[in-house]
Amino acid sequence: MPLPDITIQLKRLPHGAGLPLPAYATAHAAGMDVVAAEDLTLAPGQRHAVATGFAIAIPEGYEVQVRPRSGLALKHGITCPNSPGTIDADYRGEVKIILANLSSEPFPIARGERIAQLVPAIVQRAAFAEVDTLDETVRGSGGFGSTGR
Ligand SMILES: O=c1ccn([C@H]2C[C@H](O)[C@@H](COP(=O)(O)OP(=O)(O)OP(=O)(O)O)O2)c(=O)[nH]1
Ligand SMILES: [Mg+2]
């Protein structure tokens, strides 16, 4: 059974007037598609923090992850270089979508176009307990391909 929806307060900013709110495109979509609040063209290799026109207050104990859209990534090389982006529960600034153009063609983005998706997630916080020795394991310090390709 799915967990019940959490409620995320959303404040529309002046330049977000008239834009659709982030929304699920299908019945069981994991991500809410979010649209650009500005027109721009991303040159090859360029990065830009794209305005969304809103700020949010996420309930304590949750975050919102910003993930790329696979169609934009596959067809146009448009991705989020910080993926998954992290929106903290205590952030009150404008949500921005960091996009990078990995292709060799300029990519125009129109205000209102869906550019990424937002996925709310439960946050597990932790504290470190500093110790002198760690327990031994079969893996030990092997990593970074130690088990082969
Ligand atoms: O794709 C993103 C990633 C982050 N943020 C905002 C919300 C987040 O809460 C804040 C800080 O993000 P992060 O912790 O990833 O960046 P930082 O470089 O560590 O900045 P800070 O020192 O402000 O935490 O920036 C966005 O709007 N979009
Ligand atoms: Mg940070």
Side-chain angles (χ1 to χ4, degrees), residues 22-103:
Y24 294 108
T26 63
H28 303 293
M32 289 174 272
D33 290 329
V34 59
V35 305
E38 57 181 318
D39 294 307
L40 72 148
T41 295
L42 269 183
Q46 190 188 355
R47 300 183 297 277
H48 184 73
V50 183
T52 62
F54 63 81
I56 57 178
I58 304 163
E60 195 181 313
Y62 295 86
E63 63 162 331
V64 168
Q65 298 182 357
V66 182
R67 300 189 194 164
R69 294 188 67 208
S70 64
L72 291 180
L74 179 65
K75 295 177 198 158
H76 305 288
I78 300 298
T79 191
C80 300
N82 61 327
S83 182
T86 305
I87 312 294
D88 299 288
D90 53 0
Y91 177 69
R92 297 291 177 271
E94 180 176 9
V95 172
K96 300 237 175 137
I97 309 300
I98 304 170
L99 291 183
N101 181 356
L102 304 183
S103 81

Side-chain angles (χ1 to χ4, degrees), residues 92-126:
R92 297 291 177 271
E94 180 176 9
V95 172
K96 300 237 175 137
I97 309 300
I98 304 170
L99 291 183
N101 181 356
L102 304 183
S103 81
S104 53
E105 303 292 330
F107 186 75
I109 294 169
R111 177 179 156 86
E113 189 175 339
R114 293 177 295 154
I115 53 171
Q117 51 191 326
L118 304 180
V119 179
I122 294 170
V123 170
Q124 174 66 64
R125 298 192 79 194

